[in-house]
C-alpha cells in the first residue's frame, strides 16, 4: 500500500508541475509571432484583403497624382487660347484653300503647256564673245554673227567646216573681228577661236583660246 501511495503522490506532483508551467507561459505573454501581429495571428484571408487594400490605395494615389499633373499643364494655357479643344474646325475654309491651291497649280500647268505648244520663233543672232566659254541657240535658216575684239597685230584663227553650220563671211570692223555662220542642219557645234599675235612674223604666239557652243534647232 505504501508503494501505491508513493506512485499516486508522484502523479499528483507531476500534474501540478505541468499546470504551473502552463500558467507561467500564459503569464509571460504570447510568442513573438503573435506579439508582432498585435496579439492576433493574421489569417490568409485577412492577408489577401490587406494586400488588395494596399494596392487600391496605391492606384488611387497614382491617379490623383496624374490628375494633378494634367491640371497643372492645363493651367498654363491662357483663356481664349487658340489651342482650345472646343474651337470648331473650319472644314469649309480648309476645303476652299485646298481646291484653290489645286486651281492655281492647274493654271500654272496650263500656262506651261500652252508655252510649250507655241512654236518658238528665231531671229538672226549677233553674239559678242567675251568669256572663254559661251553658248548660243540658232534657228534653222538663220545666221549668227560672232564678234571678237581684235587689233592690228592680232588674228583669230578658226575652223570653217561644220555639219550644222555653214560659213558665210568674215570681216574686221570697229575693233571687232566678225564671223558669220548660217544654220543648215539641226545639231550642236563647238567653234574654237585661237587668238594669234602676228606682230612679229618670225615669232607668232597663241595668246588665248575662246570657244562657243552653238545649238541649231
Amino acid at each position: 500500500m505504501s508503494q501505491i501511495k508513493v506512485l499516486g503522490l508522484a502523479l499528483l506532483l507531476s500534474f501540478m508541475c505541468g499546470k504551473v508551467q502552463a500558467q507561467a507561459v500564459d503569464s509571460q505573454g504570447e510568442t513573438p509571432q503573435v506579439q508582432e501581429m498585435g496579439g492576433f495571428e493574421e489569417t490568409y484571408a485577412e492577408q489577401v484583403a490587406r494586400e488588395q487594400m494596399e494596392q487600391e490605395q496605391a492606384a488611387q494615389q497614382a491617379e490623383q497624382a496624374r490628375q494633378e499633373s494634367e491640371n497643372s499643364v492645363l493651367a498654363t494655357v491662357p483663356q481664349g487660347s487658340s489651342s482650345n479643344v472646343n474651337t470648331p474646325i473650319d472644314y469649309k475654309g480648309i476645303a476652299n484653300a485646298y481646291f484653290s491651291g489645286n486651281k492655281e497649280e492647274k493654271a500654272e500647268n496650263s500656262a506651261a503647256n500652252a508655252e510649250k505648244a507655241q512654236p518658238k520663233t528665231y531671229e538672226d543672232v549677233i553674239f559678242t564673245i567675251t568669256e572663254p566659254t559661251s553658248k548660243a541657240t540658232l534657228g534653222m535658216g538663220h545666221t549668227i554673227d560672232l564678234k571678237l575684239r581684235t587689233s592690228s597685230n592680232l588674228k583669230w584663227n578658226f575652223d570653217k567646216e561644220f555639219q550644222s553650220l555653214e560659213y558665210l563671211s568674215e570681216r574686221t570692223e570697229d575693233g571687232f573681228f566678225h564671223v558669220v555662220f548660217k544654220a543648215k542642219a539641226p545639231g550642236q557645234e563647238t567653234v574654237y577661236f585661237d587668238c594669234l599675235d602676228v606682230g612679229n612674223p618670225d615669232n607668232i604666239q597663241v595668246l588665248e583660246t575662246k570657244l562657243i557652243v552653238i545649238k541649231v534647232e
Side-chain angles (χ1 to χ4, degrees):
M1 293 296 292
S2 60
Q3 293 179 351
I4 293 174
K5 290 181 179 181
V6 172
L7 181 60
L9 183 59
L11 291 173
L12 180 60
L13 292 173
S14 177
F15 174 74
M16 293 177 67
C17 289
K19 188 174 182 181
V20 171
Q21 290 178 356
Q23 293 176 353
V25 171
D26 293 338
S27 63
Q28 290 176 359
E30 296 91 352
T31 60
Q33 182 178 4
V34 176
Q35 290 177 356
E36 291 177 359
M37 298 304 296
F40 298 95
E41 183 176 1
E42 186 180 28
T43 64
Y44 177 74
E46 293 174 344
Q47 181 181 359
V48 172
R50 177 176 55 80
E51 292 178 352
Q52 184 176 2
M53 183 178 296
E54 292 177 352
Q55 291 177 358
E56 291 178 355
Q57 291 178 353
Q60 291 177 359
Q61 293 176 356
E63 178 66 18
Q64 183 178 359
R66 184 184 66 80
Q67 292 179 357
E68 292 177 354
S69 176
E70 290 181 353
N71 292 335
S72 64
V73 173
L74 293 176
T76 59
V77 179
Q79 295 294 331
S81 173
S82 59
S83 61
N84 190 346
V85 295
N86 296 325
T87 302
I89 300 176
D90 186 7
Y91 293 103
K92 184 177 180 180
I94 295 174
N96 291 336
Y98 175 78
F99 288 110
S100 64
N102 287 345
K103 291 179 180 179
E104 292 177 358
E105 184 177 358
K106 290 180 180 179
E108 292 178 357
N109 293 336
S110 299
N113 293 333
E115 184 178 355
K116 291 181 180 179
Q118 293 179 357
K120 293 183 178 180
T121 57
Y122 298 96
E123 297 178 353
D124 294 342
V125 178
I126 299 176
F127 193 98
T128 302
I129 301 176
T130 57
E131 301 296 331
T133 302
S134 304
K135 293 182 180 180
T137 302
L138 186 62
M140 279 291 298
H142 290 275
T143 61
I144 183 169
D145 184 351
L146 301 176
K147 298 172 57 178
L148 299 106
R149 187 169 292 279
T150 188
S151 61
S152 59
N153 64 318
L154 299 180
K155 179 180 180 181
W156 289 97
N157 191 30
F158 61 97
D159 292 332
K160 299 180 181 180
E161 299 295 332
F162 297 98
Q163 294 182 354
S164 299
L165 298 174
E166 178 184 357
Y167 168 77
L168 295 181
S169 63
E170 62 182 87
R171 70 185 187 278
T172 300
E173 182 178 86
D174 297 331
F176 283 93
F177 176 71
H178 295 255
V179 179
V180 180
F181 287 97
K182 182 178 180 180
K184 65 178 182 179
Q188 182 171 290
E189 303 289 354
T190 302
V191 184
Y192 292 89
F193 291 94
D194 295 325
C195 183
L196 307 179
D197 184 358
V198 294
N200 184 359
D202 297 332
N203 186 20
I204 298 176
Q205 297 180 354
V206 179
L207 301 180
E208 62 175 331
T209 298
K210 296 181 183 293
L211 66 88
I212 181 170
V213 177
I214 302 175
K215 182 179 180 181
V216 177
E217 296 181 346

